């Protein structure tokens, strides 16, 4: 079995372990998110940061007389999303490569914009949400899932350890700041639903370590260390993962917001 280049040094994934992907990691979150979106049959849906398109396909199925479009900055994710939609025979869906902050959407071309952890990384969030607002009908709505504060997310604390914590993933964690951004972009009446569900990292310690090894933060941290420090970090991560391994896999606690707002 070929070991991915992104795997942790000297960690060899167990050939009996099922691989993890982002949809598997967020399987409990997705249930809450799909319910909150409450897509109607005739709605036109825009999915921001769609990844491999699970949320887009879910939206397309709900919008049985409407449509769904997913957008993502990753060409490999868009290719995978198209493959999965074709394999599942979801026909009222399409995917485009682009950045929602600057993409030329059709004015008022959508009724609802959704995003599952895809809106925290905009270079200019007000500009990005203003562009999304312009793509929505006057009575349109926005529903997005974002991480709550770093200290409420065990997965980040455990993986990062004593290293400086990246703040980008938590840029919309503060409700007061998120409301100000949305208000400046043309949205109103923002509400915040607490989602307290664990994230899934695999059915074994080996599968979890392989998954963690693909995180950008992990790769960058390991590249900055010498050989001895890499070995210490590998040991620390293994111990942290082992502490969270139970009969049904490896789980880390997490907290997220589902933010809902309307156009004004």
């Amino acid at each position: 079995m070929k070991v991915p280049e992104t795997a942790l040094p000297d960690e060899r994934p167990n050939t009996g372990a099922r691989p993890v992907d982002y949809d598997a990691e967020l399987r409990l979150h997705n249930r809450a998110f799909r319910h909150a979106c409450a897509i109607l049959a005739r709605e036109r849906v825009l999915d921001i940061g769609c990844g491999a398109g699970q949320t887009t396909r879910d939206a397309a199925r709900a919008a049985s007389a409407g449509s769904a479009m997913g957008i993502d900055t990753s060409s490999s994710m868009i290719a995978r999303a198209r493959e999965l939609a074709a394999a599942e025979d979801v026909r009222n869906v399409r995917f485009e490569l682009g950045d929602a902050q600057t993409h030329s959407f059709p004015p008022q071309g959508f009724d609802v914009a959704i995003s599952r952890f895809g809106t925290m990384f905009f270079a200019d969030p007000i500009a990005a949400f203003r562009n999304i607002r312009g793509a929505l009908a006057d009575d349109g709505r926005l529903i997005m899932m974002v991480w709550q504060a770093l200290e409420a997310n065990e997965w980040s604390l455990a993986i990062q350890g004593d290293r400086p914590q990246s703040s980008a993933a938590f840029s919309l964690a503060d409700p007061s700041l998120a409301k100000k951004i949305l208000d400046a972009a043309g949205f109103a009446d923002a509400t915040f639903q607490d989602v307290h569900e664990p994230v899934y990292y695999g059915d074994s310690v080996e599968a979890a370590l392989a998954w963690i090894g693909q995180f950008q933060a992990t790769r960058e941290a390991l590249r900055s260390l010498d050989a001895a420090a890499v070995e210490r970090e590998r040991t620390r991560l293994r111990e942290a993962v082992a502490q969270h391994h139970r009969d049904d896999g490896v789980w880390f606690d997490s907290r997220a917001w589902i933010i809902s707002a309307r156009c004004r």
Side-chain angles (χ1 to χ4, degrees), residues 62-179:
S64 55
S67 63
M69 187 192 98
I71 185 169
D72 200 280
T73 59
S74 168
S75 58
S76 61
M77 287 292 98
I78 289 296
R80 181 61 176 155
R82 289 168 176 161
E83 290 174 0
L84 290 171
E88 297 176 13
D89 196 30
V90 183
R91 301 185 180 184
N92 61 333
V93 67
R94 70 185 192 278
F95 297 94
E96 293 190 14
L97 179 66
D99 184 343
Q101 179 173 317
T102 56
H103 191 77
S104 295
F105 296 112
Q108 299 193 352
F110 302 93
D111 302 300
V112 55
I114 67 173
S115 180
R116 189 189 67 184
F117 299 114
T119 57
M120 300 96 68
F121 305 98
F122 291 129
D124 185 338
I126 293 177
F129 285 110
R130 188 174 288 142
N131 193 43
I132 294 164
R133 169 62 185 89
L136 291 171
D138 288 340
D139 59 349
R141 56 199 178 97
L142 169 70
I143 305 99
M144 59 183 177
M145 180 174 271
V146 304
W147 294 118
Q148 290 189 30
L150 183 150
E151 56 269 20
N153 281 282
E154 182 183 52
W155 60 269
S156 183
L157 296 172
I159 292 170
Q160 297 289 340
D162 294 331
R163 299 194 304 270
Q165 302 285 333
S166 171
S167 60
F170 308 98
S171 64
L172 295 172
D174 180 355
S176 61
L177 176 59
K179 284 182 178 180

